[in-house]
Amino acid sequence: HQAARGRVIDAAGAGLPVIEQALRLYEQAPPSAEHAKAWLDYADDFLGHIEGRHDGIFQALNQALRIAKAADATAMIPRILASLAANSFVRGHLEEGFAFLDQGWALARAADNRIALVRLAWKESDALLKLARFQDAANAALGGLEPAREAGLQASFEASILIFNAAEALLASGRTTEAGALVDPLTAGRPDHDHWIAHEARAGQEL
């Protein structure tokens, strides 16, 4: 599982056989949070990069959810629901997607699950941005930054995506100065695996 995650950084295809082997090995043990996360990673990081695999992603995410529930891995469930929501949006099922988000928010807030709150803010702001609900998208993305800081994720890829989504929404609303102020702190250094998206926002929008 960890070897596959290392390989996917540069090419999803390179890690695909390794994550599939990991999933077969997990089947030999009882359900666990790690097993559920492997299915979540398989759906998001591997199948998600293969064109036309949206139905396969949905099946993999449902498998992750089934295993998480069987293992009583409650911290994993809202994270999986966030990805199920994103997959529903891609397949054009908006009501289903927002229903998954509502379930995820309720569970994450009840447990004060900051990592899940960050992921939900990411997926919700993505959807709202694509629906041209720019103020809602900015609010959702910015709302995820505090739990990201509290979880020690302020320098992570997830936080960069939240800032990117907030900046895109602010730009679409004509609030260029505010968007630039968000992106500035992440573009002082060279692009890397965690912060390239902020550099892309600055380059693409000429902030």
Side-chain angles (χ1 to χ4, degrees):
H1 184 187
Q2 293 304 315
R5 285 176 56 80
R7 293 186 185 188
V8 78
I9 291 173
D10 296 312
L16 190 59
V18 184
I19 190 66
E20 289 175 343
Q21 182 182 4
L23 292 173
R24 290 191 294 271
L25 290 171
Y26 274 123
E27 290 295 337
Q28 300 176 28
S32 65
E34 292 79 9
H35 189 183
K37 188 174 188 307
W39 275 102
L40 176 61
D41 290 343
Y42 178 59
D44 282 351
D45 298 335
F46 295 89
L47 296 183
H49 293 282
I50 301 174
E51 189 174 355
R53 293 297 298 270
H54 300 308
D55 289 337
I57 293 169
F58 187 70
Q59 293 166 6
L61 290 171
N62 274 292
Q63 178 73 340
L65 186 61
R66 184 189 67 77
I67 292 166
K69 288 179 177 178
D72 198 25
T74 54
M76 287 297 306
I77 292 173
R79 295 166 64 183
I80 297 166
L81 289 169
S83 289
L84 278 165
N87 180 259
S88 294
F89 293 134
V90 169
R91 293 183 293 111
H93 300 166
L94 299 185
E95 290 186 8
E96 178 183 77
F98 282 111
F100 280 133
L101 284 175
D102 287 344
Q103 293 175 51
W105 282 118
L107 291 171
R109 286 169 176 153
D112 195 22
N113 184 340
R114 291 174 175 84
I115 292 176
L117 290 171
V118 172
R119 192 177 190 91
L120 288 158
W122 163 12
K123 302 302 183 181
E124 182 167 70
S125 60
D126 269 351
L128 293 169
L129 189 58
K130 291 176 174 65
L131 290 169
R133 291 171 54 181
F134 300 123
Q135 186 59 56
D136 291 337
N139 291 342
L142 293 171
L145 292 178
E146 181 62 17
R149 185 190 65 77
E150 293 170 348
L153 298 174
Q154 64 269 28
S156 67
F157 179 65
E158 290 84 355
S160 292
I161 291 180
L162 290 175
I163 289 172
F164 177 85
N165 286 351
E168 288 286 293
L170 291 169
L171 281 167
S173 304
R175 297 158 66 182
T176 306
T177 302
E178 293 173 68
L182 277 175
V183 171
D184 276 344
L186 298 183
T187 56
R190 298 180 61 183
D192 57 26
H193 287 302
D194 287 333
H195 301 112
W196 63 267
I197 197 165
H199 290 267
E200 181 180 294
R202 175 166 291 285
Q205 302 297 337
E206 299 182 354
L207 290 176

